[in-house]
Amino acid sequence: YTEWPETRSALHLWTQIVGKYRLAHSPWDNHGWHVTLYVTPRGLTTGPVFDGKTAVSLTFDFRDHVLVGETGNARDSFALQAMSVSEFLRRTTALVEKLGGQFQIHGAPNEVAEAVPFAEDTASRPYDAGAVGHFHQALLNIDRVFKRFSTGFLGKVSPAHLFWGSFDFAVTRFSGREAPRHPGGVPNLPDSVTEEAYSHEVSSAGFWPGGGGSDEAMFYSYAYPVPDGFSERAVVPAAARFSEDLGEFLLPYEAVRTSNDPERELMTFLQTTYEAAAVAGNWKRKALECDIGAPGIPRAVDYS
């Protein structure tokens, strides 16, 4: 994180602008899943956004370092480089409108303390292409592990996706039970959004690249509502710890990256922190869990 904080901050706000385009044209889905971005082999994408009679996708290409706009009949792009947030907004608006879409979004950031409107954020921001490339490679590796982890759950589970509000990449499991109303209070985010996001009991894990109180990249895992005894449950690997300030388990990205088996290191963190939530919260685990999936092998069905 300490090698690219200004670029990370710029990229966070740029993903908000792009994500808000998807939000503006998408009907509400479970827990805000309609607003997120998805990892691709080259970057992050909205997927198809149905803008009137036109389907538009916006994709951050972190290999060629361009923002690409596509429809079935057209493709255009502009370079990702040092620029202000207001300039990125102007270029994105022009790109979408050139493709036949309507770029009308809520014009200020969410989930950040100082929500300077995008059009008024005129200070030039750096763009460290090398750091962005490393971030993308991390997301690709994490996406693979998160998706594999998801196959071990029969209940409702979210896609692995990037929430541009908090700029974290997450996957969430649901017990199936309703949760008490969330207290809200997230900076520059309507409480109604948070209440819907946490309307049901969850065990959620994710990754954020630093910022927002952390000077290093971290994996995290939390439960809502927090069951009694959650923080006292034993989790692995050894580098994992419970943060009383944040109310969640943390695992430094560097500990995973430098381990002998990074995928196994992350999988054990995901599994044991989920178990901490499920055991402490008395989830109906037999009905919700299954073996981790494998290519080409259907899940066994128990008809007994």
Side-chain angles (χ1 to χ4, degrees):
Y1 169 74
T2 57
E3 297 177 1
W4 71 306
E6 293 303 319
T7 295
R8 189 216 66 90
S9 178
L11 188 60
H12 181 190
L13 295 172
W14 295 355
T15 61
Q16 292 218 6
I17 290 170
V18 168
K20 282 172 179 279
Y21 174 63
R22 185 180 181 210
L23 167 63
H25 292 282
S26 303
W28 207 274
D29 199 356
N30 282 334
H31 318 296
W33 298 351
H34 62 297
V35 310
T36 58
L37 303 180
Y38 310 108
V39 175
T40 77
R42 299 190 66 89
L44 289 166
T45 187
T46 59
V49 174
F50 298 99
D51 184 348
K53 295 183 178 180
T54 303
V56 180
S57 70
L58 294 178
T59 300
F60 288 95
D61 183 329
F62 295 143
R63 298 300 177 92
D64 289 340
H65 299 284
V66 291
L67 183 72
V68 180
E70 293 181 284
T71 68
N73 301 313
R75 186 180 191 275
D76 206 344
S77 64
F78 66 82
L80 298 174
Q81 58 193 35
M83 71 179 91
S84 67
V85 173
S86 62
E87 178 64 13
F88 182 88
L89 173 64
R90 186 192 68 78
R91 294 186 186 187
T92 305
T93 302
L95 175 64
V96 170
E97 292 180 350
K98 186 176 180 180
L99 294 170
Q102 297 293 318
F103 198 84
Q104 297 175 341
I105 66 170
H106 173 259
N110 297 112
E111 300 186 59
V112 296
E114 297 181 12
V116 178
F118 301 127
E120 298 174 17
D121 195 338
T122 58
S124 182
R125 308 270 187 146
Y127 184 77
D128 183 337
V132 171
H134 292 156
F135 173 58
H136 173 237
Q137 186 60 51
L139 287 180
L140 269 177
N141 290 328
I142 295 163
D143 187 46
R144 182 181 70 250
V145 180
F146 279 14
K147 285 176 177 173
R148 182 166 175 259
F149 173 66
S150 294
T151 65
F153 198 70
L154 296 170
K156 185 170 80 173
V157 60
S158 78
H161 46 197
L162 185 130
F163 280 100
W164 40 260
S166 48
F167 203 49
D168 63 321
F169 189 68
V171 64
T172 304
R173 292 177 169 186
F174 294 78
S175 74
R177 298 187 298 236
E178 292 185 351
R181 177 178 290 185
H182 194 281
V186 178
N188 295 298
L189 187 72
D191 285 349
S192 59
V193 174
T194 314
E195 290 167 2
E196 194 277 333
Y198 292 101
S199 62
H200 289 71
E201 190 175 37
V202 303
S203 170
S204 188
F207 164 78
W208 76 89
S214 173
D215 288 338
E216 63 176 319
M218 285 279 187
F219 295 99
Y220 65 80
S221 182
Y222 65 87
Y224 181 80
V226 183
D228 291 341
F230 175 62
S231 63
E232 283 79 43
R233 301 293 305 180
V235 303
V236 290
R241 62 181 176 84
F242 187 83
S243 168
E244 294 291 348
D245 291 338
L246 298 176
E248 56 194 33
F249 289 101
L250 301 176
L251 174 64
Y253 171 77
E254 189 67 6
V256 175
R257 188 188 70 82
T258 57
S259 70
N260 292 331
D261 189 344
E263 183 165 344
R264 183 175 184 275
E265 198 89 343
L266 180 52
M267 279 290 287
T268 59
F269 177 73
L270 297 174
Q271 185 61 33
T272 59
T273 55
Y274 157 71
E275 289 173 355
V279 172
N282 196 30
W283 288 28
K284 295 181 178 179
R285 297 181 61 190
K286 185 176 181 181
L288 293 170
E289 298 173 11
C290 62
D291 292 336
I292 295 293
I297 304 174
R299 284 193 177 109
V301 179
D302 182 1
Y303 290 104
S304 60

